Amino acid sequence: MTDRTGALPLRRLVVLRHAKSAWPVDVTDHERPLAPRGRRDAPAAGRALAEADCLPDLALCSTALRARQTWDLAAAQWGTPPPVRTDRRLYAATPAGLLAVVREVPAEVGTLLVIGHNPGLEELVLALAGDGLDDNLERVRTKFPTAAIAVLSWHGSTWRALGPAGALLTSVMVPRGAKK
């Protein structure tokens, strides 16, 4: 749907790398939990999204334990979290695989949150960002650490229309929780 000016709706893709994970012995990569720092940083990520007025209409989350825990702790910071869909395809996904999942999102979703893993998320952000505000592109190129958030904005009628260099990287945040 377009507004009265004929402009396509503004959409935001919010990319959240899972918070810091632990490396317990005899645990598969998929089942690694958050480390103590990750349990502090994930709620900080949720607060940062709320403070930036960047709450999603829908969240897509990797099935990996550390990603699901990141979602749970971040979303607990909001009054009413949006629906979340876990998707195995987001685990260890390539940028092309991530974009394929994003393109399946219904058109009525204006702000989408994707929680997953590097290097795929970092590469997706860089592929989609045709430009960036301030030094955001350089920040992502330098490092996209755990619990990092990138916000990409673009105008489009559907998520299927999102493509390489089609968005503006408007924000990069790396929230950190305080040690107790």
Side-chain angles (χ1 to χ4, degrees), residues 31-179:
E31 295 307 313
R32 287 192 297 121
L34 291 179
R37 188 178 100 198
R39 289 192 297 275
R40 291 190 308 267
D41 292 348
R47 289 189 298 275
L49 288 171
E51 290 166 6
D53 195 24
C54 205
L55 296 181
D57 301 314
L58 174 68
L60 301 177
C61 184
S62 163
T63 55
L65 180 59
R66 59 195 178 274
R68 290 181 287 126
Q69 289 176 329
T70 298
W71 161 253
D72 290 341
L73 291 168
Q77 305 303 304
W78 310 328
T80 304
V84 61
R85 296 181 192 158
T86 56
D87 193 319
R88 178 83 180 187
R89 296 174 296 170
L90 298 177
Y91 175 70
T94 64
L98 291 164
L99 185 56
V101 174
V102 166
R103 285 178 169 165
E104 294 173 2
V105 171
E108 61 268 13
V109 173
T111 299
L112 174 66
L113 172 64
V114 175
I115 305 165
H117 314 269
N118 259 3
L121 288 182
E122 178 181 328
E123 293 170 358
L124 176 69
V125 169
L126 294 173
L128 294 178
D131 199 0
L133 298 180
D134 304 321
D135 66 345
N136 288 328
L137 274 170
E138 188 55 37
R139 289 180 65 198
V140 174
R141 282 186 193 109
T142 300
K143 186 173 186 182
F144 195 65
T146 55
I149 301 166
V151 180
L152 295 146
S153 298
W154 62 286
H155 290 276
S157 58
T158 68
W159 287 95
R160 184 159 293 289
L162 180 59
L168 176 67
L169 181 58
T170 59
S171 178
V172 175
M173 300 174 266
V174 185
R176 294 294 182 229
K179 290 185 181 181

